[in-house]
Each structure stands twice: as C-alpha cells, then as structure tokens.
Amino acid sequence: MTGRRWPVDKYGGLAMISIDQLLSEMTLEEKIGQLNLITVDQAVTGSVGSDDMIANIRAGRIGGVFNVWGREKITRLQKLAVEETRLGLPLLFGMDVLHGQQTIFPVPLAEASAFDADLWERTARAAACEAAADGIDLTFAPMLDVARDPRWGRMVESPGEDPRVGAAFAAAKVRGFQSARLSARDAIGATAKHFCAYGAALAGRDYAAADVSDRALHEIYLPPFHAALREGCVAVMAAYPSVAGIPMAANRELLNGYLRQKLGFAGVIMSDYGAVAELIQHGVAGDIVEAAALALTAGVDMDMVSGAYVSALPEALARGLVEERQIDEAARRVLRLKRDLGLLDDPFRRVAVADAPLERFKGLALDAARRSITLLTNSGVLPLSAGVRRIALIGPLADAAGEMQGPWSLAASGESNVSIREGLAAALPDCEIVFSPGVEIEGEDADGIEEACRRCAGADLILLCLGESGRMSGEAASRAAPVLPGRQAALARAVLALGPPVVVVLFSGRPLALPWLFESAQAVVAAWFPGSMAGTAIADILTGRFNPSARLPVTWPREIGQIPIFYAERPSGRPAEPENLFTSKYLDVTNEPQFPFGHGLSYGAVELTHLRASAETFTIERELTLAVEIDATNRGGRAIEAPLFLFIHDVVASVARPLIELKTWRKARLEAGETQTIVFSLSLEDFSFPGPRLTPCCEPGVFEILVGESADRRRLLSIFVQAKQPDAPRSTSGFSEGE
C-alpha cells in the first residue's frame, strides 16, 4: 500500500475522521469507486474472489458488494478493502432480504394479508438479525410498488393494491430492519424500492414503461415511499421503467425534485440492476457517457452493476456533462450511509455477531404463515371434522417443501421447510393420508392423472394442492394468463368429478383467475407461499387449530379480461346498469371480481351494528379528530380475529374521488358471543386529497364513512358527516388550496 493511511481504532475502523476529511484526501477514481455497487453472485473462488474483483477492491474502485453472504466470505472481502487499499474505506454489503434470510416468512403479498403492522415489523426484525449475522449491512427491501395487475410477477413482492396498506407496510418494515439504532450489530439499512410506479408497467410486463398521471403518482404510487422516508429509511432504489417517458434512473424531477427537495431525503439513491447503462436502450442517452451523466445529475448516487460510473464519469466530467461537486455529493452520501451503519468505526461489526440459531424464529415463522393464509370459500367442509379418516392428498405442490419459500429466498437452504404432506401427517396422526402428485407444476405430461384419481378411491376428503412454482413469481415472471400452469386444470377437473368433497389449497404469488374452480370445490384456501413453516401452518388452518384471519390485500379477478382490477375506482358518468346497454360494463362477464379487496372467511361470523361518529358535523382544522365507532359481535362458537376496514367517500369534490378509499383498519378480537365497540380515529389528513394543484386539500361538503369486512360496498355499513369551514378564518396551510 502507498499513500496516506488514516489512524484506525481497535476494530480496524477509521478513528475520528470526518467525511469531509476523507473526501479531501480521495482521488477522483476513489470517489467514483464509492458509487460503484457490484454483484458477485456468491461466486467467491480461491481464497477470496475473482482476480478482477480483488484488483478493483484494492484500487478503491468498488464501494459496495451484494449477493455474497456468510461470515467467512464477507470478512475476507472486507479485509481487502480495509487493509489493502490506500484509504482503508470499508465495503458496504447488500442483499435482497425480502421475506427472511435463513428463516423464510410468507412472501410480502401474503404477509400483507395479515393486516398486522406489528407482525410486519417483527418479521423484518428477525430477518435483520439473521442477515446481519451473515454480514449484510443493507437490504434491498421493502418493495413498495402498489400492484393492481396480477399479470405482473412482482406483485408477489408487494403489499398489494392499496396505498394506505403500502404506507403502513413501509413504516413497519423500515422499523423492523433498522431497529432503534441503525449502527446496532443486529440492524441493517432498509432500501425503499422501486421508486416509483413500477407496478403500473404496461400490460403487466416486467421492465415495460409506465404511463401514469401526476395524480396517480401522488395518490397511489408515492405515499408508501413517503411513509418509508418518514420512518428514516436510509436508501431508495430507482425503478427500471420510464414514467411518462422519463426513465426513473434519469428522472431528475422525481429523484432530485420530489425525493431530495420536497421530502428532504438525504440518504442514498441507487439504480436497479444495470439500469444506468439501460438508459441507452430507453433512447434518452446516446452512449454510456451520457447515460452516466444523466443518472448522476438526476440524483442516482450508486450505479448497480452496469459499471457506467466507473467507466464513463471521468469522460462525462471532461465533456462538461457533470461537475465534480456532484460526484463529491454522491460520494458523501455513500460515506455517510457507511458511517451511520457503523462501518467507519467497525467494518466487521456485523460479522462479529454470533450466528442466530435456526430455531430462534421458527415460532414467528409459523405465526406469520397462519396469519397470512386466506380462506376464500368454504361450504362447511372446513375445519376438518373428526369423521375424516382417510384423506387423498393430490397435486404437485402437496409434497414440494422447496416451493413453499417462493421467490427471493437467496440464503435459505430450505432443508427445514415443512411440506403440506409432512404438516398434515403430524397434525392428523390417526388419519390415513394417501398421496399422488398427479402432474408436475409445469409441463404437458398428464399420464399421472389416472393414478391420482385411483388414489382418491375411498377417501373421505380430497385435498388438492395446486398453483405456481416459486420461480413463476417475482422478477421476470410476468404471465399473460395467470391461471393454473401445465396440466393442473385437467387434474383438478378429473378430481372434482369423483364425488368426495374437495378442498383446494392454492399456492401462488398473485391471484389466479379460476372461476370454475371456486364454483366446484367445497373450499379454497389461498396459501400464497407461506415460507419455512408452510405445512404446519396450513394443517393448523385446515384442522381449525388456528381460526383463519387473513384478508385479501388485492382484488381477485374473475376473468383475465378484468385486469387491471382494484376496488378504488373513480365513478363513471354511466355506472353499470343491468338493463341499460350503454353503461360501463362487459358484454360477456360481470364487472364484479371473484373476491373483493379485504375478502376472507373465518370459522365463525362477525355481526356489525350501530355505526356512529362522534359528530355529524366537523370543522376543517388541523387539530381535527373524529371518532367513529361500531359494535362487533361474534356470532360463532369460537374466538375470532377479524380485520374491520374503514373507507371514506367524498361525495362531491373539485376532483372526482374514488367510490371508496381505505383510510384505516382495526382488528376485532372476540371470544364466542362477545360484543366489543371498535373505535376508529380520523384526522384531517383522512378527509384530504391532492387537490387540482396536487397539494393537500380538504374541501367542505358531505363525506360518507363506511365500515365493514371488505371493499364490497353492498356489505358495508355507512353514515354521512358534514365538513364545514371554520367560522373565523384559520390557517390550514398544507390542507387547503384556496382555489
């Protein structure tokens, strides 16, 4: 090593050196190196890694590495950076820890079904503990794309279709990952992704352009990111697509304008994988130099994988396309993130933590899975009765422990995953269980269907386990027809024709359009991908050991032609009328979805009565608090936990408002026969919306408040309240545009 060496502390960290001092000593190449985020795909060879990677680390040309984990590998790479570079700047280690590191929790879409912010935070906290013990400093999560198109494979990573749910999910996950102190040895930084409107990709095709209005951005796609930043999220990842013609990696208005200036975000903004170089394919950059300059100028601090910054920023500087101060600012933000993570004080702080025992979070994984599994239909066959003595367990996912993890479970071996076959056998030791896969998840071989049907002979009940493989959801997993893949539909139709009652357990990362299946089966359970404890959790649901409480965070389409579909539509001037052809409807199918947002069944029933508000009229003022109460009674014979949703409809406004908008929800936890008064609290923000100028606005007039168990308007109780202006003018800055 040559050049100046900073004094180090006992941990090998940089002692008492300010970031400005570091920057003053760094060469241009070293500054740009801090902006370079690379992947090694766990491809560590020899003693440390590839020759090119080792040389680039030693030269200070790499600021962060992802897709490598484990104490030994991380330590070796970090030692290269700390001990064999001119300035000893530590590397940042990142990873996609979306729903667990070694212990795998339900996929995010499934976990959103729990409508439980405390659970969301606890699973993120557990994932952070395991990831930190594996040497990870930063996760590329939570994924906060509002998703309303089941064709899009990345819906599985999202919290669903509603921005309020997305905002609550965002805040909970950031708290869980980052803990109370970001530099703690078991805390990791959170990255809010993908900023923004990725869920609106054209036709549900991954990486395709999104063309959405400014209103849609502010009402639908931005609120979850705003919530993440309010909670202190340290990083943001820009999305792949262009939004209204501007690729996000070059979108100066949204990155520097909205994130930096309006929201005051001072953390790191990174590109997605290769997205900076892809600005050339987008048609906004003529060469790699222009691409690098566009991204840096827009506000992208770290270039993930493309190498554009390292290879092209010096030339961009020479051409006058960027200024060195912009490089300095980006490097400062990266160094500040490393400082806040504690890496400048102790580069080995996380790998020094003892491994978390694999059994440590097993109970949490089971609880999360049970709370994420949604009972969609039930004719009364569930929970399983004591009279069921022989079960035919049929389908390609009945004994597929590895598939239970779903996508994005990079570090998990899957060795301890519980399959449905194993979970059912443990839960029903006195029941005869016969098994046949029938068909593969994909493929056209139907030869096993006949054998599967023979296995069903004499069964009291058939448990049919169908759906997608884990790799059919996630990135690069768009499906034009989100239905059962392969020959599974043929298997299902053959089994349904046999006579015994059929319970279907569906595994998927998205709703599947299967109206015929829902009409024919005696019960259908949406298991999604439940994680490590899948089999035990599903057995607990089927047997009634756990009363299902999950509810859909997305609207479930009846037919593919209804997609995209969501509950919060704006009104039409010609709402659907059965007898009037010239109204907004289909000729060949109802407008109604298979299941509305919030749908889900339990082994019991909640009766809702006496919806009321603390005032029929309220004044538009910042300190507004309106209490809304409803009485909930458990009419069933067992304890129940049911999410209750409160929606609002602004009846007349300067901008047409959705027919209903979710504002909050509460869990009713009731013993058999118990009645409780459930109280909701509404603030001025709940009655506000982005006005004609897209600034928060609350207008006087009538609001309808609706409460119920789903977004099915026909089943909601409603009351009306009136908003009025204060008698004496008062400042409501930020909530009234005065238009």
Side-chain angles (χ1 to χ4, degrees), residues 325-655:
R325 66 169 182 80
Q326 294 173 307
I327 296 172
D328 287 353
E329 289 168 1
R332 180 178 285 106
R333 285 190 284 265
V334 173
L335 290 171
R336 189 164 56 221
L337 174 58
K338 292 181 177 183
R339 179 200 66 195
D340 293 346
L341 287 165
L343 294 174
L344 296 186
D345 294 329
D346 178 6
F348 305 97
R349 64 189 307 105
R350 291 178 177 84
V351 291
V353 178
D355 286 330
L358 283 177
E359 297 293 309
R360 178 179 176 186
F361 300 115
K362 185 176 179 180
L364 179 58
L366 175 59
D367 187 46
R370 292 188 302 197
R371 295 181 180 278
S372 302
I373 295 168
T374 308
L375 179 60
L376 296 176
T377 67
N378 184 20
S379 65
V381 68
L382 294 178
L384 298 177
S385 70
V388 175
R389 310 303 298 169
R390 178 182 169 90
I391 294 177
L393 184 59
I394 307 298
L397 284 141
D399 195 27
E403 301 293 350
M404 298 298 100
Q405 295 183 175
W408 296 111
S409 50
L410 305 180
S413 67
E415 293 177 0
S416 60
N417 288 0
V418 182
S419 71
I420 310 310
R421 189 178 184 183
E422 293 168 329
L424 205 63
L428 300 170
D430 298 327
C431 183
E432 181 185 3
I433 299 173
V434 295
F435 164 70
S436 175
V439 297
E440 296 180 344
I441 297 175
E442 300 179 78
E444 294 303 313
D445 185 358
D447 291 345
I449 294 178
E450 185 177 349
E451 169 62 20
C453 290
R454 281 198 298 267
R455 287 278 183 167
C456 295
D460 299 311
L461 179 135
I462 301 170
L463 189 60
L464 190 55
C465 300
L466 306 172
E468 300 179 316
S469 67
R471 68 178 183 81
M472 293 179 73
S473 292
E475 187 172 356
S478 296
R479 299 184 65 204
V483 296
L484 289 174
R487 299 304 301 275
Q488 291 186 63
L491 171 66
R493 292 182 189 276
V495 167
L496 286 164
L498 295 177
V502 176
V503 174
V504 177
V505 181
L506 274 180
F507 298 89
S508 64
R510 48 163 69 85
L512 302 179
L514 304 167
W516 58 271
L517 184 65
F518 295 115
E519 292 164 6
S520 302
Q522 279 64 54
V524 180
V525 174
W528 310 106
F529 293 110
S532 300
M533 297 300 294
T536 305
I538 290 171
D540 285 350
I541 294 289
L542 298 178
T543 60
R545 293 180 182 179
F546 187 88
N547 197 350
S549 60
R551 302 294 185 263
L552 293 178
V554 288
T555 302
W556 195 295
R558 185 180 301 273
E559 298 286 353
I560 296 170
Q562 294 176 312
I563 297 171
I565 188 169
F566 50 93
Y567 81 87
E569 289 189 23
R570 297 186 196 276
S572 166
R574 294 188 178 186
E577 297 177 11
E579 305 304 322
N580 187 347
L581 177 64
F582 298 99
T583 57
S584 182
K585 61 186 180 182
Y586 299 102
L587 290 175
D588 52 351
V589 68
T590 176
N591 288 4
E592 298 302 314
Q594 189 77 58
F595 305 108
F597 171 93
H599 172 77
L601 305 178
S602 297
Y603 301 139
V606 174
E607 180 183 6
L608 300 178
T609 56
H610 303 114
L611 178 64
R612 65 264 188 197
S614 57
E616 294 182 359
T617 302
F618 64 87
T619 302
I620 298 172
E621 55 188 359
R622 186 171 293 279
E623 298 79 15
L624 168 68
T625 299
L626 184 72
V628 176
E629 299 180 351
I630 194 167
D631 295 335
T633 302
N634 181 358
R635 295 300 186 192
R638 62 171 71 198
I640 195 170
E641 180 179 299
L644 302 180
F645 302 98
L646 185 148
F647 303 92
I648 281 181
H649 174 50
D650 191 342
V651 178
V652 178
S654 57
V655 175

